Every structure is written in C-alpha cells, then in structure tokens.
C-alpha cells in the first residue's frame, strides 16, 4: 500500500536549512494500523504530511497504491487526496459557516458526486458516527468529540484507502478520546489502512504498530500483539 | 465542482461577512451608478440640445458672416442690401436668402403704459428669413418686399411678446413702441416647441431691414441667413455666397456656418463633457475595484487554513481559483446591480428636474454590468491565484 524509501525533507536553504526527515524507509501494507510517536520536532508530522500528499519530499521514493507519487502533478495529487486519502486533524478543521452535513459533503463536491447522492452518502457517514440526528447543526454547536466525529465522517466520505490522522485526540478529554479511538479501531477491523500521529501512549496502543521518530528518523518499531 | 456548487460556496462565504460585502459593494455601486447616470444624462442633454437646434432652423439653413476666425467683424461695407438679391439670382444652390441686421437689445413697450419695457432682440430683415426660422405664422403675415422698399413701420413679434402685451386680444394692427418708435404689429410667430431652452429664449421683434436700420441708426448688416435647395447643396450654397461676396467686396473675408456644423459642434462638446465626467466615474470604479482586491486579499489570508483544508479534501488549483474569483466577481456584480438601479434613478431624477427625456440605453446598462464583471475578474485574479497556489501543507500550518 505505502512504500517509502530514503525519504528526506529539508526546510530552508544553506546555513538555515533544517532537516526534518533524514532518510526514512518503511512499508505499510494494506489494512495496517500504524501509530507514529516521538517528541515535537522529530519529523513525525512532516512525515504524515508527505504521506498524505500535502507536501513533497526533498528526496527519496514514495509509492502509494503502486503509483509513484513524486511523478504526479499538483492536480493529480489533489485527485489522489480526494479519491484515496482521508484526513483527520487535531483542530478538527471543520468549516464553521456550513452545517455538518455540508462539511461532510465537501470532498464529494470536489469529486463531482451529484447532489442527491452526495447528501445520501454524507447522511449515512454521519449516522455511522452517531450524529444522524444533528445534520443541520453548525460545528460550533457541537462538543469537541462530536466535531472530531464529523471530521472522521468527512474523511471517510469518499471511501478512502488510507486515513491519516494528525493528533486526532490532542484537543479532546479522555472520554472523547476513547470514543474517537474506538471509531478508529472499528475502521481497522473493517480493514481500513490507518496512519496516526500522536504523543499519547494510550492512543498509540490502539494501533497494530508503533513507529518511534527522533531527529527525523525512525529509531524504533514496536508491534502491538495484544490488539485491544 | 460544478457551477451550482461554486455559486453556493461563493454565496455562503459572502453571507458570512455581510457588512464587509455590503461596504465593498458600495464602492463598485457608486462607480457604476456614476457611469450610468453620467452617460444617460449626457445623452439626454445632447438629444435635447440637438432637437432644440433642429427646431430653431431648417436642416437646410445656413449663415454667412464675416470671418470672425480671422478677426473680421461686420461693418457698413461688409454686406450691401443688394447682395442677397444677386446671390439668389446667380447661385442655383441658394433657395432663400435674407440679410439680417441685429442691433443691441431694444426696449419694447405698449403706448400709454406705465409697465416696465421688455428687453427684446430686434432683427431687421427681409421676407426670406421666415424660411430659415422653421416657424410658421400664428396669425397675420411675415414681412413683405413692399414693407422693405417702403421702410414700413411694421413688425412681426414672437409668441412670447404677444402673450405678454396682448394676452386677451388680437395683437394684429395694435401699436407697440420699439426704441420709442411707434410700429404696427402685422404678424405673430408661432410658439416655439417648449423645451429647457425656452426659459432662456429672448423675445424677438422682426422689422423690415430698412426700417430697423433707421431705428438702430446703422448701415451694418451682420450676416446673411438662407436656406439651400437641399441638404446636399449646403456646401455649394455657402461657398457660392462667399465667392460672390468676396468679388463684390474686395478685401472682405467671409465664412459660412450650417446647421450640420452647429450640431456637430454641440455633439463634440457634449461628448467631451461626457467623456470627462465618465472618466471621473471610471476612476471611482477603479477605486472600488482596488477595494475589492484589498478585501479579497484579506479574505485569502484569513482563510489560509481553510484553503489548506479544502486542498487536503481534494480541491484542485482551479477549484480554489474559481471560488475566490467568484467571490470577487459576485461582489462587483452585486455592486454593479445596485449601482445600475442608483444610476438609472439618478438619471431619471435629473431628467425629471430638467424636463428632458431620460435616455438610458440598454447598451449602457449592459456595458456597465459587463464592466463591473471585468473589474471583478481583474482585481480578483491576483488574490485568487495567490490562494490557489498555496501549498496545502503550508496553508494548514498557518494559524
């Protein structure tokens, strides 16, 4: 599913250059559930952002679903994000002006899905995360945990191959965190590939594999045998 | 993303900042209103002046006078009382021709009346002038050749004077004093079609040129006024007049003016005025456009994160570009529509107050609306392309 070889990412040039990634190599097979941990500045978020095709690596190879990502044009990357990838962010990143139904519809709008079908699919996704009764609510009318559930529904709307989550529980209390992680666990049981960045060990323990980042490199890998 | 989705996104975004949208729109509205109103008022005014000029004389009307462009003025040797007779005989292009002696303003009063005399223009002329005036007689007759030969103490007055002095009686045969000379009214001219210029119209008295020259104590003829056989013959008529005059009065220099030239002149003046005021309104529109650009740049930087998110969700460069361009165009188009209503209203108000027809052409409105869209695209393109070319990761990191 995901094949990365010798990936580097350098910010800035000359003396001011900072190496965020210094040669990362990893394979993530389909259906894997990977958590990435590490101190801030270790490059874990940059890595996730490159995996999610939101930015390009400075060097190295990246194959996603058999395609050479580095060779794709910006618009092809946009289509790839739209059709194959889903994102969940720490700060939810919902559009405050629109109701949550419209928020979940957004990826489908860019995919060109017709209005009726779009609505139907968005409703279904929101019902699955338990918000079927609140379609017309604005994000601000929802709690943090509920907003993150909307974000997950949005990430899943296009039935993506991989879901990327950057500190999905970073802004949530323990109870909401557990609810969100249970949703991720269920996605994993449905064989969805998940890559998640976190600095909370309890969150990471939901994953099948944990990668430890330090100074732009993977320093340790742990396989979580006892799947909760 | 299809068009309906684009419209909805644009609309939702504008609705989120109502006050801002309204204020930005205002700049464009004022510009568009200015352009429409100025053009409409200009066109209305021009039409009025044109019809005014046309009603003042036949389209075949022409005048020959001393060449004032060369500093010539009329004196007693410029024209003679025989010139017009000779020219009519010699030039087939000239149908009617009358010499005109025009003095300073004269007093006109009723005999035995304490009323303040009215200031009027006195024209000394011959029968042919009526052809050039484009007015017919209300009652009585115009001057005759016999009047001219006899130095007859008669006068034709305009409808304004007749109303003033003889409101309830027939003026024909009544006496008036012109510069203290008793004259008999033999004819009343028809009232000129009412228009904005009526207010400025000077009252006029027409007398046989021989008698008028006695009253004014002058031998000067100011110009020859005539009518050509056809509009096409106008240049021929004026040049014939000038040739003959130059032969008869060596050393004199003459020039002809036709109605066409006067219409052209008015047209030029009004279109220059329209252009100038239109340019000022255009500058207002430009300033409005800069306002739109400014607000769009603010929107782009405010929504940087949102742009990053939309890109993460799969928005292409073009989707973002169209969204922001759409907002700029929508602002300008809304402003354009409000401005159109204001402009049309303004033009109607001016037309109503000035008693002239409101001339708002469909094309002016279409042009103004089209122009507002162009302004939107022009000033929206830079902010929109800035938004579209943001890197999704950088945009998402933006706080």
């Amino acid at each position: 599913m995901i094949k990365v070889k010798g990936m580097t990412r350098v910010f800035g040039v000359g003396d001011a250059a900072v190496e965020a990634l210094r040669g990362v190599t990893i394979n993530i097979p389909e259906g894997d559930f990977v958590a990435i941990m590490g101190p801030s500045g270790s490059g874990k978020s940059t890595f996730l952002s490159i995996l999610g095709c939101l930015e390009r690596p400075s060097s190295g190879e990246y194959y996603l679903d058999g395609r050479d990502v580095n060779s794709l044009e910006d618009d092809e990357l946009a289509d790839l994000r739209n059709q194959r990838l889903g994102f969940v962010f720490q700060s939810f990143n919902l559009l405050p002006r629109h109701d949550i139904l419209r928020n979940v519809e957004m990826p489908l709008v860019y995919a060109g899905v017709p209005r009726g079908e779009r609505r139907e699919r968005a409703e279904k996704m929101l019902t699955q995360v338990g918000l079927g009764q609140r379609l017309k609510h604005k994000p601000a009318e929802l709690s943090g945990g509920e907003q993150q559930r909307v974000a997950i529904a949005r990430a899943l709307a296009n039935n993506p191959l991989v879901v990327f989550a950057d500190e999905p529980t970073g802004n949530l209390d323990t109870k909401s965190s557990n609810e969100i992680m249970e949703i991720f666990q269920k996605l994993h049981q449905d064989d969805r590939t998940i890559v998640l960045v976190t600095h909370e060990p309890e969150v990471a323990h939901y994953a099948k594999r944990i990668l430890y980042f330090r100074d732009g490199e993977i320093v340790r890998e742990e396989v979580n045998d006892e799947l909760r | 993303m299809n068009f309906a989705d684009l419209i909805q996104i644009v609309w939702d975004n504008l609705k989120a900042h109502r006050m801002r949208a309204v204020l930005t729109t205002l700049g464009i509205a004022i510009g568009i209103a200015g352009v429409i109103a100025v053009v409409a008022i200009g066109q209305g005014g021009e039409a009025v002046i044109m019809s005014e000029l046309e009603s003042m004389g036949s389209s075949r009307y022409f005048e020959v006078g001393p060449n004032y462009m060369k500093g010539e003025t009329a004196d007693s040797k410029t024209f003679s009382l025989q010139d017009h007779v000779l020219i009519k005989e010699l030039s087939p292009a000239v149908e009617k021709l009358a010499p005109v002696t025009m003095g300073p303003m004269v007093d006109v009063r009723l005999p035995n009346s304490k009323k303040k005399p009215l200031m009027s223009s006195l024209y000394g002329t011959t029968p042919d002038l009526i052809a050039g005036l484009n007015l017919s007689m209300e009652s009585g007759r115009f001057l005759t050749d016999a009047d001219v030969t006899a130095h007859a103490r008669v006068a034709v007055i305009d409808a304004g004077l007749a109303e003033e002095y003889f409101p309830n009686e027939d003026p024909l045969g009544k006496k008036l004093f012109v510069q203290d000379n008793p004259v008999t009214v033999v004819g009343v001219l028809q009232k000129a079609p009412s228009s904005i210029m009526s207010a400025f119209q000077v009252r006029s008295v027409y007398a046989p040129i021989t008698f008028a020259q006695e009253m004014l104590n002058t031998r000067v003829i100011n110009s020859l006024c005539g009518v050509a056989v056809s509009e096409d013959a106008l240049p021929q008529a004026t040049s014939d007049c000038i040739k003959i005059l130059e032969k008869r009065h060596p050393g004199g220099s003459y020039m002809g003016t036709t109605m066409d030239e006067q219409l052209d002149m008015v047209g030029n003046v009004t279109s220059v005025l329209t252009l100038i005021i239109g340019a000022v309104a255009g500058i207002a529109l430009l300033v409005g456009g800069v306002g739109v650009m400014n607000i769009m740049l603010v929107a782009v930087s405010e929504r940087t994160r949102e742009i990053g998110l939309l890109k993460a969700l799969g928005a292409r460069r073009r989707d973002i570009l169209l969204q922001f361009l759409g907002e700029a165009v929508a602002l300008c188009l809304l402003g354009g529509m409000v401005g159109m209503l204001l402009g049309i209203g303004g033009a109607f108000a001016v037309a109503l107050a000035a008693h002239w027809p409101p001339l708002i052409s469909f094309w002016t409105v279409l042009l103004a609306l089209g122009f507002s869209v162009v302004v939107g695209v022009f000033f929206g393109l830079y902010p929109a392309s800035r938004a579209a070319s943001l890197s999704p990761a950088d945009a998402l990191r933006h706080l």
Side-chain angles (χ1 to χ4, degrees):
Chain A
M1 170 68 38
I2 290 175
K3 276 198 175 91
V4 171
K5 201 171 166 192
M7 184 183 281
T8 67
R9 178 73 168 103
V10 183
F11 290 102
V13 283
D15 290 345
V18 177
E19 280 184 284
L21 294 178
R22 332 166 165 240
V24 176
T25 301
I26 185 138
N27 283 335
I28 300 173
E30 193 169 346
D32 206 351
F33 186 175
V34 179
I36 300 172
M37 293 196 72
S40 28
S42 61
K44 57 186 194 304
S45 283
T46 304
F47 184 58
L48 192 77
S49 168
I50 294 174
L51 288 188
C53 303
L54 295 171
E55 60 189 301
R56 293 171 185 276
S58 302
S59 68
E61 293 169 22
Y62 176 21
Y63 290 89
L64 177 68
D65 195 25
R67 295 175 78 182
D68 180 6
V69 173
N70 291 345
S71 70
L72 298 180
E73 302 284 329
D74 283 355
D75 278 351
E76 290 173 311
L77 288 183
D79 289 348
L80 193 65
R81 291 192 294 264
N82 186 244
Q83 308 290 333
R84 305 266 187 238
L85 312 178
F87 295 91
V88 178
F89 302 92
Q90 176 173 8
S91 50
F92 323 136
N93 278 347
L94 300 176
L95 300 174
R97 297 185 290 282
H98 303 295
D99 58 38
I100 62 173
L101 185 65
R102 176 87 185 152
N103 265 283
V104 175
E105 276 184 49
M106 278 319 279
L108 303 172
V109 167
Y110 293 119
V113 177
R115 204 159 271 250
E117 189 190 336
R118 201 159 78 196
R119 179 134 304 201
E120 212 173 285
R121 267 162 74 175
E123 265 186 51
K124 204 178 105 200
M125 295 325 295
L126 280 167
T127 311
Q128 275 180 17
V129 297
L131 293 168
Q133 304 303 311
R134 312 184 61 176
L135 302 176
K136 289 293 166 193
H137 287 240
K138 294 275 167 71
E141 295 161 353
L142 270 53
S143 73
E146 287 166 336
Q147 290 189 48
Q148 198 61 300
R149 270 145 62 191
V150 175
I152 293 172
R154 182 178 64 187
L156 296 174
N158 253 344
N159 192 24
L161 290 173
V162 192
V163 175
F164 296 101
D166 190 358
E167 306 265 12
T169 59
N171 283 359
L172 299 179
D173 57 40
T174 317
K175 186 170 164 284
S176 305
S177 290
N178 290 336
E179 282 170 15
I180 293 300
M181 288 321 295
E182 270 151 32
I183 295 176
F184 276 110
Q185 195 170 32
K186 223 169 132 254
L187 291 177
H188 174 54
Q189 281 158 7
D190 296 343
D191 268 345
R192 190 90 57 178
T193 313
I194 300 167
V195 182
L196 175 152
V197 162
T198 184
H199 59 262
E200 297 167 75
E202 315 86 76
V203 169
H205 276 107
Y206 281 87
K208 203 161 104 186
R209 277 206 290 171
I210 306 176
L211 306 178
Y212 290 92
F213 265 69
R214 183 177 285 272
D215 299 328
E217 284 169 310
I218 300 174
V219 290
R220 193 155 58 88
E221 184 179 335
E222 238 173 54
V223 178
N224 198 351
D225 288 329
E226 36 125 15
L227 263 178
R228 296 207 286 177
Chain B
M1 189 169 58
N2 63 33
F3 190 67
D5 289 324
L6 178 65
I7 298 288
Q8 180 170 8
I9 288 173
V10 165
W11 181 246
D12 286 344
N13 284 337
L14 290 181
K15 248 182 14 191
H17 293 286
R18 267 166 243 231
M19 190 64 179
R20 190 191 278 187
V22 167
L23 288 177
T24 311
T25 296
L26 201 62
I28 298 292
I30 291 169
I32 292 289
V35 170
I36 290 184
V38 164
V39 172
I41 291 166
Q43 284 180 343
E46 188 175 328
V48 165
I49 296 173
M50 291 295 188
S51 71
E52 194 71 30
L53 278 179
E54 275 159 13
S55 76
M56 271 161 67
S58 136
S59 58
R60 292 179 287 138
Y61 177 81
F62 68 93
E63 259 182 67
V64 176
N67 192 341
Y68 63 84
M69 307 246 275
K70 285 192 183 161
E72 300 266 328
T73 51
D75 60 29
S76 56
K77 294 198 185 70
T78 311
F79 298 102
S80 82
L81 267 177
Q82 278 71 48
D83 288 341
H84 69 282
V85 184
L86 196 77
I87 291 169
K88 270 201 286 182
E89 256 169 46
L90 290 176
S91 170
V94 177
E95 187 183 311
K96 304 270 185 186
L97 195 61
V100 175
T101 290
M102 209 169 62
M105 299 286 273
V106 294
D107 286 349
V108 176
R109 61 181 173 85
L110 280 173
N112 314 317
S113 167
K114 292 274 174 279
K115 252 172 103 177
K116 218 177 124 199
L118 283 177
M119 296 296 280
S120 303
S121 297
L122 172 62
Y123 297 97
T125 188
T126 62
D128 277 4
L129 188 73
I130 184 94
L133 285 179
N134 224 20
L135 285 178
S136 45
M137 302 302 296
E138 181 67 40
S139 60
R141 59 168 176 85
F142 199 65
L143 307 171
T144 61
D145 283 326
D147 291 334
V148 177
T149 352
H151 297 225
R153 302 181 154 251
V154 295
V156 172
I157 60 175
D158 68 8
L161 271 177
E163 245 169 60
E164 197 70 44
Y165 284 130
F166 310 104
N168 302 313
E169 46 188 335
D170 184 5
L172 295 186
K174 295 284 185 321
K175 283 256 182 310
L176 274 179
F177 279 100
V178 177
Q179 289 291 72
D180 296 329
N181 297 290
V183 298
T184 307
V185 177
V186 292
V188 177
L189 280 172
Q190 199 186 34
K191 203 172 169 162
S194 88
S195 67
I196 44 155
M197 304 260 284
S198 313
F200 310 113
Q201 222 152 39
V202 183
R203 304 178 197 296
S204 317
V205 177
Y206 300 86
I209 189 162
T210 45
F211 172 46
Q213 287 189 342
E214 283 169 24
M215 283 194 281
L216 296 166
N217 194 21
T218 178
R219 310 289 302 165
V220 177
I221 295 168
N222 297 84
S223 60
L224 299 181
C225 301
V227 172
V229 287
S230 69
E231 274 186 60
D232 294 337
L234 271 172
Q236 182 68 41
T238 51
S239 73
D240 282 356
C241 286
I242 291 168
K243 256 185 244 155
I244 295 165
L245 286 166
E246 276 170 354
K247 216 163 225 162
R248 278 174 60 80
H249 308 280
S253 174
Y254 301 88
M255 64 180 291
T257 354
T258 62
M259 191 54 86
D260 261 8
E261 285 167 5
Q262 290 183 10
L263 289 178
D264 278 357
M265 219 162 65
V266 169
N268 282 343
V269 169
T270 53
S271 57
V272 164
L273 277 178
T274 305
L275 204 68
I276 291 171
I277 308 175
V280 172
I283 290 170
L285 196 58
L286 204 71
V287 172
V290 172
V292 168
M293 177 140 122
N294 189 24
I295 222 66
M296 289 315 297
L297 283 172
V298 169
V300 170
S301 84
E302 272 180 354
R303 284 195 244 145
T304 300
R305 242 182 116 83
E306 179 184 318
I307 294 164
L309 171 78
L310 295 179
K311 289 199 155 191
L313 297 182
R316 289 170 161 223
R317 196 189 136 77
R318 205 184 59 117
D319 295 324
I320 303 292
L321 187 82
L322 284 180
Q323 177 184 328
F324 279 86
L325 205 54
E327 275 182 47
V329 169
L331 281 175
C332 289
L333 203 56
L334 280 175
M337 286 194 264
V338 173
M340 186 182 80
L341 294 180
L342 287 178
I344 291 176
F348 264 97
V350 169
L352 210 67
H355 300 292
W356 75 48
L359 267 189
I360 296 158
S361 73
F362 172 70
W363 289 110
T364 312
V365 170
L366 203 69
L367 198 76
L369 280 183
F371 195 46
S372 67
V373 170
V374 170
V375 166
V377 171
F378 183 79
F379 288 102
L381 205 55
Y382 172 63
S385 76
R386 230 166 87 154
S389 54
L390 285 171
S391 130
D394 289 342
L396 276 167
R397 272 194 285 267
H398 194 271
L399 290 180

